[in-house]
Amino acid sequence: MKKLSVILLSTLFVLAPIYSQVLDTNNDSGVEDDTDWKEQGKKALDETGKFFKKAGSKIKEEINNASEITCYGTWVYEAKGNTSTLICNEDGTMEFKRKIGAETDYWTGTFTATFKIISFTINQAGRKTIISNNKSENPNQKWKFTYAVQDDGKSLKIISSDIPTDFDGTDYSKGVIFTKK
């Protein structure tokens, strides 16, 4: 919305000098010259058209970038001997796992992503240890979280109150930054 306001203000700044020039020209000469008005009008419309065409291309590019899914890949967060891994595959499958020592909590399922929001539907969940694999009786959960790939493309910020707190007490509702692996 800010960009649209800037575009409209810019148009005003482009057209205002042309309009004042037309008024000055008309006031200086006692006789109206229709040809002069037509030429200045054509020039003003041509400049305005070029401006809006360029602005429209920029807006289209921004919209396309905003709707592009950028979370694909393997992302890792490490803290205090705890490792959390988020894997987003292009086929729409996702895995989230946390490991501390020989224990790993895991959630797998499918996801959809739109406008920086991921909706993760969990099909399997459980805890693996060296000697056991305890699957959850009712893994059907849905997590929603916002995500943003940072400008460097090597880090991903996730914010969600649905993701359980890590072994080390990491609270995802405050935002956690993962690094691309």
Side-chain angles (χ1 to χ4, degrees):
M1 197 56 151
K2 285 183 182 179
K3 289 184 181 186
L4 184 58
S5 299
V6 170
I7 291 170
L8 292 174
L9 270 172
S10 300
T11 304
L12 180 65
F13 287 124
V14 168
L15 293 177
I18 294 171
Y19 182 72
S20 68
Q21 186 181 28
V22 168
L23 286 179
D24 288 345
T25 304
N26 192 30
N27 288 340
D28 290 347
S29 67
V31 179
E32 277 190 38
D33 186 6
D34 284 342
T35 310
D36 220 18
W37 276 92
K38 287 179 185 177
E39 289 302 314
Q40 288 180 0
K42 285 180 184 179
K43 185 177 177 182
L45 286 175
D46 186 43
E47 291 297 318
T48 304
K50 287 178 187 176
F51 173 79
F52 279 115
K53 184 175 180 180
K54 187 176 179 181
S57 296
K58 187 67 176 168
I59 291 170
K60 181 179 177 183
E61 180 183 322
E62 290 292 324
I63 289 171
N64 288 338
N65 288 342
S67 64
E68 183 179 315
I69 299 173
T70 57
C71 66
Y72 296 132
T74 301
W75 305 89
V76 177
Y77 167 71
E78 295 179 308
K80 301 177 190 172
N82 174 33
T83 302
S84 296
T85 305
L86 175 68
I87 302 169
C88 298
N89 297 309
E90 290 187 39
D91 67 358
T93 59
M94 179 182 277
E95 181 177 3
F96 187 84
K97 56 187 173 182
R98 296 190 301 214
K99 182 175 182 164
I100 187 166
E103 291 185 14
T104 302
D105 285 344
Y106 65 90
W107 297 266
T108 60
T110 58
F111 79 100
T112 57
T114 57
F115 296 108
K116 308 300 181 196
I117 296 174
I118 292 176
S119 181
F120 178 36
T121 303
I122 299 166
N123 301 327
Q124 287 188 343
R127 177 174 281 177
K128 290 181 186 179
T129 65
I130 294 174
I131 56 173
S132 69
N133 181 7
N134 298 324
K135 291 185 179 180
S136 175
E137 294 295 319
N138 187 12
N140 291 330
Q141 300 176 24
K142 190 172 259 190
W143 293 351
K144 288 193 184 247
F145 47 95
T146 59
Y147 75 98
V149 175
Q150 306 300 305
D151 291 335
D152 62 2
K154 296 178 183 175
S155 56
L156 173 78
K157 183 174 185 178
I158 291 178
I159 302 172
S160 175
S161 57
D162 294 335
I163 300 173
T165 302
D166 270 355
F167 294 120
D168 68 354
T170 301
D171 182 0
Y172 287 87
S173 68
K174 296 179 182 175
V176 174
I177 297 180
F178 286 70
T179 305
K180 191 154 195 169
K181 190 172 182 184

